Amino acid sequence: IQDQAIRPALEGKDVLGMAGTGTGKTAAFALPILHRLIENPDSSVLIIAPTRELAQQIEMECRSLGKGSGLMGAILIGGSPMRPQLMDLAACPRIVIGTPGRIKDHLERGSLRLEQFNIVVLDEVDRMLDMGFVRDIRSILDQMHDDRQSLFFSATMNKEVRALIETFSKDPVTIK
């Protein structure tokens, strides 16, 4: 998936990547995003994952790949204290990784504003929708910058996943 996804992502295109677990999806979106953030100081990314464990894995990989870049991030997951997350958000991170429920909590509190975020990644979209996050996802995406790059990664494609992608992307490059 990395061979096929990195180039269109670097070109700023929307991407729909379909691949199973363990195929290197995180690097397929993290590398071009980190490159864009380094090249363009006005860019910020929101990465949404269905579970705290996956959000933590993504955060660790982004930290490793972006070592020495000076990019700051925040991880917003349930089951973790709110205070450190609030402090991280107060530092205006350019990379925010989280689960839909905790991201929505921060939006409702006013501790997270998404207008300046111009890149979004939804990892394991099918799982998020299976877990009942469709309303939260729609609410989150509605609050983001209108002119954004959207990267969706999913193991399967059903009508609900397709409808979400069609609503929130512009002519995505599909990679299987």
Side-chain angles (χ1 to χ4, degrees), residues 30-119:
L31 288 169
I33 287 171
L34 292 169
H35 177 80
R36 180 162 171 197
L37 294 176
I38 291 166
E39 293 287 314
N40 183 351
D42 294 331
S43 289
S44 298
V45 62
L46 175 67
I47 302 171
I48 309 172
T51 65
R52 56 188 266 165
E53 294 80 16
L54 181 57
Q56 289 169 321
Q57 285 178 337
I58 293 168
E59 192 263 346
M60 284 178 20
E61 186 139 356
C62 285
R63 185 181 305 270
S64 173
L65 292 171
K67 190 173 185 164
S69 68
L71 294 169
M72 292 183 48
I75 184 162
L76 311 178
I77 55 175
S80 294
M82 192 65 96
R83 185 168 176 75
Q85 293 178 22
L86 292 169
M87 290 171 48
D88 287 346
L89 288 172
C92 300
R94 295 183 50 217
I95 303 169
V96 173
I97 302 165
T99 55
R102 186 52 67 101
I103 291 169
K104 199 159 178 251
D105 288 347
H106 281 285
L107 290 170
E108 290 169 358
R109 291 176 86 115
S111 52
L112 175 63
R113 298 184 54 88
L114 295 177
E115 296 88 11
Q116 80 276 11
F117 284 76
N118 59 352
I119 308 167

Side-chain angles (χ1 to χ4, degrees), residues 127-140:
R127 248 181 101 194
M128 280 193 271
L129 299 185
D130 287 346
M131 294 170 75
F133 288 126
V134 69
R135 223 180 243 126
D136 290 346
I137 300 276
R138 287 185 180 278
S139 171
I140 291 165

Side-chain angles (χ1 to χ4, degrees), residues 115-163:
E115 296 88 11
Q116 80 276 11
F117 284 76
N118 59 352
I119 308 167
V120 65
V121 177
L122 276 75
D123 197 9
E124 298 196 9
V125 179
D126 51 350
R127 248 181 101 194
M128 280 193 271
L129 299 185
D130 287 346
M131 294 170 75
F133 288 126
V134 69
R135 223 180 243 126
D136 290 346
I137 300 276
R138 287 185 180 278
S139 171
I140 291 165
L141 293 177
D142 280 338
Q143 295 181 52
M144 291 191 68
H145 196 286
D146 287 334
D147 184 24
R148 69 171 172 265
Q149 180 181 19
S150 302
L151 307 166
F152 299 90
F153 289 85
S154 186
T156 62
M157 180 64 60
N158 61 32
K159 285 191 307 189
E160 199 171 24
V161 171
R162 174 65 65 192

Side-chain angles (χ1 to χ4, degrees), residues 4-30:
Q4 296 177 52
I6 289 175
R7 180 172 306 282
L10 280 171
E11 293 170 354
K13 295 179 181 172
D14 288 359
V15 173
L16 164 57
M18 294 187 56
T21 304
T23 56
K25 290 186 303 251
T26 303
F29 64 76

